[in-house]
Amino acid sequence: YSNKSLDIKILIGTGWSENQDVPGDADYWFELHNDIHKWQEAQGQKPITVLSRDGGSRGALYCAVSNVLDALDIYQDVDVFHAFRQIHNRKPEVLLFKEQYEHCYEVARLYLDAGSLYSS
């Protein structure tokens, strides 16, 4: 047990309705990605914890998309299949829908098309 205090900031992605397997708009990911990176830069690149109200699937999709967007920011190249496989190997019961995989590809394409519009 430690007497250290911990500041917590909760960022909640809005715009992803309960009845959708993926958000309806790629801007959802771009804004969340940008907000989290700004926060991490201000905090000295501290790690984040991802919570998912559905037990993991939404959080896992966030992690896959985040990894894809990070790779695009750094390398301007990405292997979406590998990003999904990394998450799926850690938690096999998530990222099971073809629609999620296709959505991630579409987000990557739109992010590349947008160029530096969404980069911090």
Side-chain angles (χ1 to χ4, degrees):
Y1 179 73
S2 174
N3 286 332
K4 294 180 183 178
S5 66
L6 179 65
D7 291 330
I8 297 174
K9 178 168 181 134
I10 298 175
L11 298 172
I12 299 173
T14 58
W16 187 351
S17 73
E18 293 283 330
N19 60 349
Q20 295 175 306
D21 290 331
V22 298
D25 188 359
D27 285 339
Y28 170 86
W29 297 116
F30 304 153
E31 291 169 12
L32 189 58
H33 181 72
N34 196 30
D35 289 347
I36 289 172
H37 276 274
K38 283 181 182 177
W39 180 82
Q40 282 184 302
E41 286 174 12
Q43 299 300 313
Q45 299 301 324
K46 292 183 181 175
I48 66 168
T49 299
V50 177
L51 303 174
S52 181
R53 80 170 59 169
D54 72 349
S57 181
R58 288 174 176 239
L61 183 56
Y62 161 75
C63 290
V65 170
S66 179
N67 290 344
V68 164
L69 297 181
D70 284 342
L72 290 173
D73 285 341
I74 296 166
Y75 307 110
Q76 291 77 47
D77 188 31
V78 68
D79 182 342
V80 174
F81 174 78
H82 183 70
F84 260 65
R85 188 173 183 128
Q86 283 181 312
I87 303 300
H88 189 71
N89 286 343
R90 289 184 180 92
K91 195 164 174 106
E93 64 274 13
V94 299
L95 298 174
L96 300 176
F97 302 109
K98 178 182 172 190
E99 181 182 9
Q100 292 172 317
Y101 188 66
E102 290 171 346
H103 177 74
C104 196
Y105 265 105
E106 181 66 5
V107 168
R109 185 189 65 76
L110 291 170
Y111 195 72
L112 284 172
D113 288 349
S116 62
L117 179 63
Y118 293 103
S119 60
S120 351

